[in-house]
Amino acid sequence: MTVIEQDAPPTASTSARRRLPLFLAGLVALVLCAALSLAVGARPVPLAAVYDALFGHAQGREALVVTGLRLPRTVVALAVGAALGVAGAVAQGITRNPLASPTTLGINAGAGFAVVVAIYVLHLNRPAEYVWFAFAGAAGAALFAQALARRSGDIDPVRLALGGTVLQLVLLSWTSAVMLASQRTLDEARFWLAGSLADRTLDVLWPVLPTLGLGLLLALTVAPALNALALGDDSAQALGVPVARIRLAGGIAVVLLAGSAVAVAGPVAFIGLAAPHLVRPLLGGDHRLLVPGCLIAGPLLLLSADILGRVVIRPSELEVGIVTAFLGAPLLALLARKAAR
């Protein structure tokens, strides 16, 4: 009886109170990063001028840059970062694989391939038109990756990581083939495929807000059950957890979140992989805290990468997808080596 009491996990309220200062620090860091996003760019704007522009105390070119260009871009980055961060946490939870993310499972590549095919066949030219094709591609890639990973009715985490990586490479090669077949498709899709927040307005975000919100709601709902899945399917079922339904709901959440993010900003890599690994050492492995933590860490990482892309080759800028890929590749190698041990 004593052992059971010592091993029992803390209640949600106890854990939340214990880690409340960390959540507050994360929120403060996110607010500061958002302020820098409004101030930093090819034309730097003082923070005092940013404040005046936001609250209508100033007009002119600087105010137009802040409210017309950087504010929508920052809001889009917050939404996309939250979607990718939470999607990564849920993907790792339902697969019991620390290397799982929308990128490594091929979900982002599937969404990107579907959008490029739609551009080629249907002559689409606006991100708002990509939404449903991104969802279809993300769902198809997720289902195929899980089919490759199934062994004796269960999902093998190693096979899932390998299958998702292979699927990603195949889909990326198919995407390149489609783009090379049409100069118009290449011109239309190449900047979007790099993963970019530049010139993203709120008109691009509105169509995906319902699906993004539903994905976040599903993720927060299944978060407590993901703790039981970490014990294995048999143990989770013995605790009364409906494993199949939780995994289905979590998979739908990942598809909705990743599809929404890809439709808006393109296939931005590694945010979904990095955010849970950044949060887990601080908040622990309890998904009741991990998923909300990634809701903060994802936007923080994406905004930081976007700001870095604006200043590294100023006055030009690097697409945020290029920055995250450059920084995330060593992280993936490090995590793979750690998992191999």
Side-chain angles (χ1 to χ4, degrees):
M1 185 66 180
T2 304
V3 174
I4 294 176
E5 290 177 352
Q6 288 178 346
D7 290 345
T11 64
S13 59
T14 301
S15 299
R17 285 197 302 270
R18 188 181 302 167
R19 293 174 173 83
L20 182 59
L22 292 175
F23 276 104
L24 293 177
L27 287 173
V28 170
L30 185 58
V31 170
L32 293 176
C33 201
L36 283 177
S37 178
L38 297 175
V40 173
R43 180 186 177 92
V45 177
L47 288 176
V50 170
Y51 178 86
D52 290 338
L54 289 178
F55 292 95
H57 301 317
Q59 295 180 348
R61 186 172 181 180
E62 286 187 341
L64 181 61
V65 168
V66 171
T67 59
L69 296 177
R70 294 182 187 168
L71 180 60
R73 179 172 181 164
T74 301
V75 172
V76 169
L78 292 171
V80 171
L84 292 175
V86 172
V90 175
Q92 292 175 16
I94 62 175
T95 61
R96 304 197 306 274
N97 187 341
L99 299 181
S101 74
T103 301
T104 57
L105 296 182
I107 295 174
N108 282 358
F113 174 68
V115 168
V116 169
V117 170
I119 292 173
Y120 177 70
V121 176
L122 301 177
H123 298 242
L124 305 183
N125 56 17
R126 292 188 300 116
E129 300 172 333
Y130 303 161
V131 177
W132 299 111
F133 299 99
F135 288 145
L143 291 173
F144 193 75
Q146 290 204 26
L148 290 176
R150 286 199 175 276
R151 184 170 62 181
S152 302
D154 197 5
I155 294 179
D156 186 326
V158 176
R159 292 180 64 174
L160 184 64
L162 293 175
T165 301
V166 171
L167 179 62
Q168 179 189 14
L169 295 175
V170 170
L171 288 172
L172 288 176
S173 65
W174 288 356
T175 301
S176 299
V178 174
M179 292 174 64
L180 291 175
S182 167
Q183 183 64 42
R184 181 192 61 79
T185 304
L186 177 63
D187 293 339
E188 183 65 37
R190 59 181 175 176
F191 292 111
W192 175 82
L193 278 174
S196 177
L197 297 172
D199 300 324
R200 295 297 189 267
T201 65
L202 296 182
D203 291 338
V204 178
L205 184 61
W206 297 134
V208 306
L209 277 183
T211 52
L212 196 154
L214 179 58
L216 290 176
L217 180 61
L218 273 175
L220 293 170
T221 301
V222 303
L226 296 180
N227 293 331
L229 286 186
L231 304 174
D233 288 2
D234 292 338
S235 298
Q237 288 174 348
L239 293 172
V241 175
V243 173
R245 279 189 291 174
I246 293 299
R247 188 163 278 140
L248 175 62
I252 292 174
V254 173
V255 168
L256 290 175
L257 293 170
S260 300
V262 171
V264 172
V268 178
F270 294 111
I271 298 296
L273 177 66
H277 287 279
L278 177 66
V279 173
R280 199 172 282 116
L282 299 174
L283 299 180
D286 187 345
H287 287 83
R288 295 170 297 180
L289 298 175
L290 181 64
V291 172
C294 289
L295 196 60
I296 299 173
L300 187 59
L301 288 173
L302 189 60
L303 275 176
S304 300
D306 188 39
I307 294 170
L308 180 62
R310 296 186 217 175
V311 301
V312 69
I313 56 171
R314 187 187 288 175
S316 299
E317 67 177 62
L318 286 174
E319 282 77 11
V320 68
I322 296 175
V323 178
T324 58
F326 179 78
L327 298 177
L331 173 65
L332 179 60
L334 182 64
L335 293 175
R337 183 176 181 182
K338 181 179 179 181
R341 291 202 196 103

